[in-house]
Amino acid sequence: MGDADRLPMANVNRIVTSILPKDAAVAKEAKVAISACATVFVHYITELAVQQCDKRKKVTLQYEDILEAIREAEFNEFEEPLREALAAFRAQNSASKKPPAKKQKTGDAGAASALDTSVNNGADTSMNDASVNEGAGEEAPGGQEA
């Protein structure tokens, strides 16, 4: 396990100091050990979750896979705090999202495609202009418009 795999020491310091009493001191080696332990834990839970995905022939690791890995590793006491952390994360993300752009009433394929891109914050939606404007000039086999 290299240094690149470990949590940044600033994060470890913040976590450790938030838990300990104000007058407590922590040796540098202890902080390195905490970082190494956290990294091993992340690798272990991730490997268990990946094994679950492999059994189900899934390629994308999901939140539920992590929960199942936590239960399989018998860290059940972490399940509720993990659920609470996810709920807080989702609430924070939904509060910070901008309201979607208003739809334009034109039938222009380029405008609809631009609108789709702005609503999805530039995410690749794998949609072409014909699928954005369903029913309006869909392509027939051979590239001809219907």
Side-chain angles (χ1 to χ4, degrees), residues 47-116:
E47 179 58 32
L48 290 175
V50 166
Q51 289 174 7
Q52 292 299 324
C53 285
D54 287 345
K55 287 178 187 175
R56 295 187 193 111
K57 299 188 184 334
K58 290 175 37 181
V59 294
T60 303
L61 195 63
Q62 299 287 337
Y63 164 72
E64 295 81 17
D65 301 315
I66 301 300
L67 281 177
E68 190 170 332
I70 292 286
R71 287 189 293 268
E72 183 179 331
E74 297 181 6
F75 289 117
N76 297 337
E77 64 273 12
F78 294 144
E79 187 172 348
E80 190 56 34
L82 180 58
R83 287 182 189 278
E84 291 170 5
L86 179 66
F89 173 78
R90 287 178 175 166
Q92 181 182 8
N93 278 350
S94 67
S96 67
K97 285 186 179 178
K98 296 179 184 176
K102 293 183 180 181
K103 291 185 179 181
Q104 297 177 1
K105 293 184 179 182
T106 65
D108 180 33
S113 180
L115 176 64
D116 183 58

Side-chain angles (χ1 to χ4, degrees), residues 18-32:
S18 72
I19 295 171
L20 294 176
K22 299 290 182 207
D23 60 341
V26 181
K28 182 178 179 180
E29 292 85 13
K31 292 175 188 175
V32 170

